[in-house]
Amino acid sequence: MDLAPIWEQLTASFAQLPRSGLLLAALIAMALGVLGTFLLSRLPAVGKVMRLTSTFGLMAILVLIVVQMSRLDPRFSIAIPAANLPEQVVSGGETRVPIAPDGHYWLRVQVNGHEAAFMVDTGATLTAISPDTAQMAGLQPRTGAVPVRLQTANGVVAADLTTVDTLRVGNITAQGLDAVIAPSFGRTNVIGMNLLSRLASVRIEQNELILVPLVPENTSQLEVPAR
């Protein structure tokens, strides 16, 4: 049995610990619980307090992780401002996008006012933003978030969660949108299903991608951006 891939995954996971406040907090809470167990026989009161603190700490961390993951489902519009988790809202009017010569659908998107080209990828769970675009748009990794593991052609890689205040595509505006800063994608930006699934419909007619928000206001033709 080749243990090299498993070891590489473990090494990569531990390398991400300093980047995630939640993971570090979970390790500290578990260590506190173990230490409290050892102290029960000598210092029962102290041991019980440590174990109780560990239990409640782990419960709080679990709730935050569940909330973070549940935001990928458009049925949940959970907003926790104190944890940098705003409500994700997608609104506006119908937008039509012609197919590009390379067979993909490319959008000219404004991310916090910075314009960049994004490829529509229905196979991507999350909207992914390149480090260059993130820097130009003033995006920072979300404090305390658990790094996301992405499956790519080169294997599993880690990416930092971030929050896009405003993302505009044609007549469509997304606010408080979750995204990942993905260095492994190079300079490519991707619109994922966490935005597309919040639309009323996404369909293709005669090589034209049609994006329809839940509350359409008007219609526009979106030109393919120069690459």
Side-chain angles (χ1 to χ4, degrees):
M1 179 179 178
D2 187 7
L3 297 178
I6 298 176
W7 176 252
E8 289 177 2
Q9 290 291 330
L10 288 174
T11 302
S13 297
F14 279 111
Q16 303 305 317
L17 286 178
R19 296 167 55 188
S20 172
L22 283 180
L23 290 178
L24 284 175
L27 287 178
I28 293 172
M30 286 187 286
L32 195 64
V34 172
L35 183 58
T37 300
F38 282 114
L39 290 176
L40 277 177
S41 58
R42 297 183 178 181
L43 300 170
V46 175
K48 289 179 180 179
V49 169
M50 293 179 70
R51 291 183 62 181
L52 192 62
T53 302
S54 171
T55 299
F56 280 108
L58 289 173
M59 289 174 61
I61 291 168
L62 177 60
V63 169
L64 287 175
I65 292 175
V66 170
V67 168
Q68 177 179 295
M69 295 297 103
S70 67
R71 286 169 59 85
L72 303 182
D73 191 326
R75 293 173 298 178
F76 297 93
S77 296
I78 301 174
I80 305 180
N84 293 325
L85 298 176
E87 183 178 0
Q88 301 181 89
V89 179
V90 180
S91 60
E94 180 181 296
T95 296
R96 294 172 176 262
V97 189
I99 194 170
D102 63 1
H104 296 290
Y105 292 97
W106 288 89
L107 311 174
R108 179 60 69 180
V109 178
Q110 288 189 355
V111 183
N112 291 350
H114 172 72
E115 194 170 89
F118 278 69
M119 183 181 71
V120 176
D121 184 359
T122 56
T125 302
L126 283 168
T127 294
I129 300 175
S130 70
D132 288 344
T133 300
Q135 182 178 13
M136 291 292 187
L139 298 176
Q140 297 293 332
R142 186 180 294 162
T143 303
V146 177
V148 176
R149 309 288 288 174
L150 300 176
Q151 181 68 48
T152 69
N154 296 321
V156 179
V157 298
D160 290 315
L161 276 167
T162 189
T163 300
V164 181
D165 294 330
T166 304
L167 185 149
R168 290 189 171 90
V169 182
N171 287 325
I172 297 171
T173 299
Q175 296 177 311
L177 186 72
D178 287 349
V180 290
I181 301 174
S184 60
F185 285 16
R187 294 185 176 181
T188 302
N189 302 299
V190 172
I191 293 291
M193 288 304 297
N194 69 313
L195 187 155
L196 299 176
S197 61
R198 285 179 165 79
L199 299 173
S201 68
V202 179
R203 66 183 190 276
I204 296 175
E205 294 179 2
Q206 298 179 346
N207 287 330
E208 189 175 52
L209 178 67
I210 304 173
L211 308 175
V212 183
L214 291 173
V215 184
E217 295 173 356
N218 51 59
T219 303
S220 79
Q221 179 73 28
L222 183 65
E223 298 295 332
V224 177
R227 296 182 57 196

